[in-house]
Amino acid sequence: MNETTLTIIGNLTEAPELRYLPSGAARAGFTVASTPRRFDRQSGSWVDGDALFLRCVAWGLLAENAAESLGKGDHVVVVGRLRQRSFETAEGQRRQVIELEVDELGASLRFATARPERVNAPTADADGATPVEGLVSSDG
């Protein structure tokens, strides 16, 4: 099934928070703030629009690399798929949250430089998918 991807460009509000599930799978959570700007010809200055704060989740090696490489305030480009999930609070209330499940993540080079360093990644299967420990595919 083809899924719609979303690309967001903005700044990290905090450094990615890396956690490991009991299964050993790595998970990094972070928030990207994106504020549109437009030039106001009357005033001759740039005007900020309403900020969008989007919660993002990365898994596996991507999560570990994000936590190792990125910090608060870094300008990033994030590509992923929107996911809605439900959970129950400690008080027993049902809540829903919409997050961006990250497929690709990188530092924006618009205002910075970077020196990528290749890491040894797990090998992909015949379909090109890299397994993430702790996650079960929908086909079994």
Side-chain angles (χ1 to χ4, degrees), residues 25-38:
R27 178 193 186 280
F30 55 93
T31 301
V32 175
S34 180
T35 306
R37 299 186 90 202
R38 66 175 180 80

Side-chain angles (χ1 to χ4, degrees), residues 41-97:
R41 292 178 192 234
Q42 272 190 316
S43 68
S45 62
W46 288 94
V47 178
D48 287 341
D50 293 333
L52 168 70
F53 294 89
L54 185 59
R55 192 76 188 141
C56 302
V57 176
W59 294 94
L61 187 59
L62 178 59
E64 293 174 334
N65 291 344
E68 173 83 19
S69 305
L70 300 170
K72 180 179 179 175
D74 286 348
H75 199 63
V76 295
V77 179
V78 186
V79 178
R81 294 158 283 129
L82 286 178
R83 295 284 187 246
Q84 181 175 338
R85 66 179 175 88
S86 299
F87 65 95
E88 194 170 299
T89 66
E91 295 80 29
Q93 296 179 324
R94 294 284 298 160
R95 298 279 170 94
Q96 290 190 354
V97 64

Side-chain angles (χ1 to χ4, degrees), residues 96-133:
Q96 290 190 354
V97 64
I98 294 177
E99 299 171 320
L100 187 67
E101 189 171 297
V102 179
D103 294 320
E104 299 289 339
L105 169 63
S108 170
L109 301 182
R110 188 172 192 180
F111 305 112
T113 60
R115 294 262 179 234
E117 183 178 318
R118 191 174 294 270
V119 296
N120 292 330
T123 56
D125 64 16
D127 296 328
T130 304
V132 175
E133 230 177 277

